[in-house]
């Protein structure tokens, strides 16, 4: 499962990195806002599934942290786009993220117990690695608006902590 999810996330990176092929085709701020919000929403959905499914305290606590933190960042993002009068723009990257996450949630929903915990946490490690990489290499450098860039940089710091936390939980599950 981990390999399949990593492949899906690699596909996400290819879609995300595609605008870099042509220097003039970097994502716009409305597209970046949509990608970032979508990524947060998808992790909230995964967290809700883990809270409902897992019986392992460490996994449930981690999922609650993901739900809380991603909801907070998404609230800040919504407030910012409203303040800036920017309408987030759906795009191929957001759509690829949503499709991959839907497929992964369907796979996770079929699992129980230790198998669920392991797959969920491995997915969280991989997801945060990929999203953090996209933030660092594409989304933050492409953001034109200083406030959007600042929010993305703050999100990156939080999500790097999530990646480390997920790695710690994954180690504890072994």
């Amino acid at each position: 499962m981990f390999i399949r999810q990593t492949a899906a996330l690699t596909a996400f990176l290819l879609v995300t990195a595609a605008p870099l092929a042509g220097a003039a085709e970097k994502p716009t701020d409305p597209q970046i806002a949509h990608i970032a919000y979508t990524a947060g929403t998808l992790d909230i959905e995964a967290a809700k599934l883990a809270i409902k499914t897992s019986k392992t305290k460490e996994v449930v606590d981690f999922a609650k942290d993901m739900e809380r933190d991603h909801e907070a960042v998404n609230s800040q993002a919504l407030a910012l786009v409203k303040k800036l009068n920017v309408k987030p723009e759906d795009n191929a990257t957001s759509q690829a993220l949503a499709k991959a996450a839907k497929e992964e949630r369907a796979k996770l929903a079929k699992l129980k117990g230790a198998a669920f915990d392991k797959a969920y946490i491995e997915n969280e490690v991989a997801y945060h690695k990929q999203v953090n990489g996209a933030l660092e290499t594409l989304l933050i450098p492409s953001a034109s608006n200083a406030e959007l860039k600042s929010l993305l940089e703050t999100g990156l710091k939080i999500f790097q902590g999530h990646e480390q936390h997920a790695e710690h939980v994954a180690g504890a599950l072994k």
Side-chain angles (χ1 to χ4, degrees):
M1 175 160 307
F2 179 69
I3 292 170
R4 285 189 301 246
Q5 182 60 17
T6 301
L9 290 169
T10 300
F12 155 67
L13 276 186
L14 293 175
V15 170
T16 306
L20 291 179
E25 297 183 37
K26 67 182 184 175
T28 64
D29 284 356
Q31 291 169 334
I32 291 167
H34 198 279
I35 292 165
Y37 186 83
T38 299
T41 298
L42 297 172
D43 206 35
I44 292 165
E45 291 170 1
K48 287 179 178 180
L49 177 62
I51 292 165
K52 182 177 107 178
T53 305
S54 182
K55 306 292 184 235
T56 305
K57 182 181 180 345
E58 294 83 2
V59 172
V60 172
D61 288 349
F62 173 82
K64 287 179 180 178
D65 288 348
M66 294 308 97
E67 181 180 35
R68 180 197 64 228
D69 291 354
H70 286 282
E71 283 178 347
V73 172
N74 274 5
S75 292
Q76 291 174 352
L78 287 176
L80 179 61
V81 296
K82 184 176 180 182
K83 173 186 171 190
L84 299 175
N85 199 25
V86 170
K87 183 179 184 293
E89 183 181 313
D90 194 7
N91 56 78
T93 301
S94 294
Q95 293 165 8
L97 269 174
K99 182 177 185 249
K102 182 178 179 181
E103 291 168 1
E104 185 61 22
R105 277 193 316 276
K107 292 172 195 169
L108 287 172
K110 295 176 184 173
L111 301 174
K112 301 289 178 222
F116 174 87
D117 292 344
K118 183 178 185 307
Y120 168 71
I121 292 297
E122 286 178 347
N123 180 62
E124 285 296 299
V125 171
Y127 189 73
H128 282 92
K129 278 185 193 298
Q130 300 300 332
V131 170
N132 291 342
L135 280 164
E136 284 180 309
T137 63
L138 180 65
L139 301 179
I140 292 170
S142 297
S144 301
N145 180 279
E147 289 179 90
L148 175 60
K149 189 177 290 251
S150 176
L151 179 61
L152 294 171
E153 290 168 341
T154 299
L156 175 60
K157 289 175 187 162
I158 293 167
F159 305 150
Q160 286 169 333
H162 289 174
E163 181 183 333
Q164 291 173 345
H165 189 182
E167 289 170 344
H168 174 76
V169 174
L173 291 177
K174 291 183 180 179

